[in-house]
Amino acid sequence: MKPRWKGKGSQAKANADPMSKIVSQLQSSLIQSETRGLLSSCSVLVEVDAELADLLNRSCFGRPRITAQEDKQWFQLDMEEAFYLCFSLKCLKVIGEDGYIKSNEELWDYLKSKKPVFPVSYKVYSHLRHKNWVVRSGLQYGVDFVAYCHHPVLVHSEYAVLVLSEGDNDLNGRLRVWSDVHCTVRLCGSVAKTLLTVIVNSNNQGANSPSCLEHYTVEEQTITRWNPERSREDQTGPKNGTKKV
Amino acid sequence: MMPRWKGKGLQAKANADPMSKIVSQLQSSLIQFETRGLLSSCSVLVEVDAELADLLNRSCFGRPRITAQEDKQWFQLDMEEAFYLCFSLKCLKVIGEDGSIKSNEELWDYFKSKKLVFPVSYKVYSHLRHKNWVVRSGLQYGVDFVAYRHHPALVHSEYAVLALSEGDNDLNGRLRVWSDVHCTVRLCGSVAKTLLTVIVNSNNQVANSPSCLEHYTVEERTITRWNPERSREDQTGPKNGTKKV
């Protein structure tokens, strides 16, 4: 499925300003300003100035939160976003409720305690982010993430992502029965997204520390409906623009 | 949610011809003709004359199947439909692949071997049918059943039904995680149905025979979105006809 850009010029704009570069700028800026996030339940809150706020918005990390302060802006990061900045990009440090900076291992344990599927969920998030996809929460679409090939302002999201795990450790519990497969595929179709399942195999590595992540393997599969009438070889009708059912 | 009739006069038509009466006529007719169904994998096939075909269509049991025969009609019954006719209405007997009539216990074991969740699924099907709802497969809507107040030609279905089980024996595996809840509620909303979960508690009765069904208890719950803006007490805008989100 090709990306659907939102209006003329969006594609050119995106090409001129690749996401990899924006994320790289964010990374440098966070390191330079020695930004500290505050751990708060299942989120990490960061206080940023206008320049960092702009970079967070353009790279699609976190959501701005309205506060009484006028000169500073606060952003709320999801678990996966925060851990990506800390562990993968190494540009953020997180302070726990006790006031101390949490090591990556401590942060890992904490996030796992809040969300048992966190290791698998994080593997998928980071896998897609590394490939320069913008990854956001997909909950309102009944999936785990939605993936955009650039900023949501410029392009519609192409993929609705479900995080699945191989083997007995299937904590996520989606797509185990046919009714769920039909439900999800139908909903994805109605919002013009392709269902992408990213299946993580822990290879019996367990999930004791973030270093186990590099031994996880990932398999991507898309699930779409196949319509025999549209797949005939002798089809002479228009193919472009046909809504994929 | 009030039933949505598909046109003027249809509600009156339905009231004049209650489903309970149609089902009762079907039951009498099947007994009178000593109809025998043929077990075929996960379905039961019945050969019927025009009168019975009409009753099956009007009571919404089974789907007509096109065959080369012109004088007789064949219908394909789902497991739950067939078992309801055999066990609850006692108006059908089923012949196995060995040519002999299957007892209810044998039929029960057979269906259970094909579909592990059959006991729970059947409890839900029969629970709704006993209350004179028309119950059909809901697979295309990503649920187990859809329930109509009367014949689908007269009324749109109101409920999208998921059969869930209480306790460790949760074989169906739906709605275990939030993403599935959002997915299902959103899809149901888009097809104008209310999500109805029917939760069956086996009360530690092992599913050895159909007699255990009477000890199962059933709880019905609808799940809908609550929109604060539409639920304010001082709302002066029109309420009728507003699409429920």
Side-chain angles (χ1 to χ4, degrees):
Chain A
M1 203 187 236
K2 297 191 69 64
R4 294 183 306 125
W5 298 97
K6 285 184 175 178
K8 288 187 181 186
S10 290
Q11 184 171 7
K13 197 171 174 189
N15 289 341
D17 197 17
M19 191 50 64
S20 54
K21 200 171 108 193
I22 304 171
V23 173
S24 183
Q25 286 169 344
L26 171 71
Q27 183 185 26
S28 312
S29 230
L30 282 170
I31 290 171
Q32 188 187 351
S33 55
E34 293 183 346
T35 306
R36 299 284 177 259
L38 301 176
L39 199 52
S40 172
S41 182
C42 295
S43 305
V44 168
L45 305 171
V46 279
E47 187 188 21
V48 292
D49 62 11
E51 182 201 340
L52 264 172
D54 179 61
L55 284 165
L56 284 170
N57 279 324
R58 286 169 54 218
S59 57
C60 302
F61 279 90
R63 289 164 291 175
R65 286 310 188 203
I66 297 170
T67 66
Q69 283 178 286
E70 288 186 14
D71 50 334
K72 289 279 187 177
Q73 178 122 45
W74 283 87
F75 275 70
Q76 181 176 350
L77 300 166
D78 290 337
M79 288 190 214
E80 290 85 5
E81 293 175 323
F83 201 71
Y84 189 74
L85 294 174
C86 292
F87 179 69
S88 294
L89 297 188
K90 305 193 196 315
C91 56
L92 181 72
K93 293 200 195 300
V94 173
I95 297 174
E97 277 157 26
D98 56 3
Y100 290 104
I101 289 179
K102 294 246 178 235
S103 68
N104 285 335
E105 284 71 24
E106 288 170 329
L107 201 51
W108 173 262
D109 286 338
Y110 175 84
L111 295 173
K112 256 198 330 173
S113 74
K114 292 289 183 182
K115 186 175 171 181
V117 298
F118 178 73
V120 172
S121 174
Y122 180 73
K123 182 67 184 177
V124 174
Y125 180 89
S126 58
H127 172 79
L128 293 171
R129 270 285 189 187
H130 274 131
K131 294 193 198 181
N132 298 313
W133 286 88
V134 168
V135 186
R136 299 297 253 171
S137 167
L139 194 61
Q140 64 183 87
Y141 297 105
V143 291
D144 296 314
F145 301 113
V146 284
Y148 302 81
C149 68
H150 205 281
H151 197 287
V153 150
L154 302 177
V155 66
H156 292 287
S157 79
E158 296 159 55
Y159 294 104
V161 185
L162 271 180
V163 171
L164 303 179
S165 53
E166 195 78 63
D168 293 335
N169 198 24
D170 182 16
L171 297 163
N172 198 13
R174 290 298 304 274
L175 307 189
R176 290 182 173 189
V177 291
W178 278 116
S179 61
D180 194 2
V181 177
H182 280 274
C183 188
T184 315
V185 171
R186 183 165 177 159
L187 184 62
C188 287
S190 73
V191 292
K193 298 181 195 329
T194 303
L195 175 59
L196 171 68
T197 58
V198 184
I199 305 146
V200 179
N201 195 332
S202 65
N203 298 314
N204 294 318
Q205 289 289 314
N208 284 336
S209 89
S211 58
C212 65
L213 288 165
E214 57 188 308
H215 302 289
Y216 287 7
T217 45
V218 156
E219 184 185 341
E220 298 161 338
Q221 283 177 3
T222 53
I223 301 179
T224 51
R225 286 190 67 178
W226 178 74
N227 190 332
E229 283 170 350
R230 292 197 185 165
S231 307
R232 298 199 197 290
E233 284 178 1
D234 61 353
Q235 183 172 25
T236 50
K239 281 191 181 156
N240 291 334
T242 333
K243 187 172 114 173
K244 191 165 195 174
V245 172
Chain B
M1 205 188 236
M2 301 290 296
R4 292 182 308 124
W5 300 96
K6 284 182 173 178
K8 285 186 181 187
L10 294 181
Q11 182 169 7
K13 195 173 173 188
N15 288 342
D17 196 17
M19 190 50 63
S20 54
K21 201 171 108 193
I22 303 170
V23 174
S24 184
Q25 287 169 342
L26 171 71
Q27 182 184 28
S28 311
S29 238
L30 283 169
I31 290 171
Q32 187 187 347
F33 285 101
E34 297 184 344
T35 309
R36 300 284 178 260
L38 303 177
L39 198 53
S40 171
S41 183
C42 296
S43 305
V44 169
L45 305 171
V46 280
E47 186 188 25
V48 293
D49 63 7
E51 182 199 337
L52 264 172
D54 178 62
L55 284 166
L56 284 170
N57 279 325
R58 287 169 54 218
S59 59
C60 302
F61 279 90
R63 290 164 290 172
R65 287 308 188 204
I66 297 170
T67 67
Q69 283 178 284
E70 287 187 12
D71 53 332
K72 289 280 189 178
Q73 179 122 43
W74 282 88
F75 274 70
Q76 181 175 352
L77 301 166
D78 290 337
M79 287 192 222
E80 290 85 4
E81 294 176 321
F83 202 72
Y84 189 75
L85 295 174
C86 291
F87 179 70
S88 293
L89 298 188
K90 304 191 195 317
C91 58
L92 181 73
K93 293 201 195 299
V94 173
I95 298 174
E97 278 155 22
D98 59 2
S100 54
I101 289 180
K102 292 241 179 240
S103 68
N104 285 335
E105 284 72 24
E106 289 170 326
L107 205 51
W108 174 263
D109 286 340
Y110 177 84
F111 286 147
K112 259 197 334 172
S113 74
K114 292 290 184 184
K115 184 174 172 180
L116 293 170
V117 296
F118 179 73
V120 170
S121 175
Y122 181 72
K123 181 68 184 177
V124 173
Y125 179 88
S126 58
H127 172 80
L128 294 171
R129 269 286 189 186
H130 273 132
K131 293 194 197 180
N132 299 312
W133 287 88
V134 167
V135 187
R136 300 297 254 170
S137 167
L139 194 61
Q140 66 184 85
Y141 297 105
V143 291
D144 296 317
F145 302 113
V146 284
Y148 300 82
R149 197 68 75 105
H150 203 281
H151 195 285
L154 305 180
V155 67
H156 292 286
S157 78
E158 296 161 56
Y159 294 105
V161 185
L162 274 178
L164 303 179
S165 54
E166 193 78 63
D168 293 335
N169 198 23
D170 183 16
L171 297 163
N172 197 12
R174 289 299 304 274
L175 307 189
R176 290 181 173 189
V177 291
W178 277 116
S179 62
D180 194 3
V181 176
H182 281 273
C183 187
T184 314
V185 171
R186 183 165 176 158
L187 184 61
C188 287
S190 73
V191 293
K193 298 181 196 327
T194 302
L195 175 59
L196 173 67
T197 57
V198 185
I199 303 145
V200 178
N201 196 331
S202 63
N203 296 313
N204 294 318
Q205 296 278 320
V206 183
N208 281 338
S209 88
S211 58
C212 68
L213 287 166
E214 59 191 19
H215 301 291
Y216 286 8
T217 45
V218 156
E219 184 185 338
E220 297 161 341
R221 278 188 213 160
T222 53
I223 301 179
T224 51
R225 285 190 66 179
W226 178 74
N227 190 332
E229 281 170 350
R230 292 198 186 161
S231 308
R232 296 199 199 290
E233 283 177 1
D234 60 356
Q235 183 173 25
T236 50
K239 279 193 185 157
N240 291 334
T242 332
K243 187 172 115 176
K244 191 165 194 174
V245 172

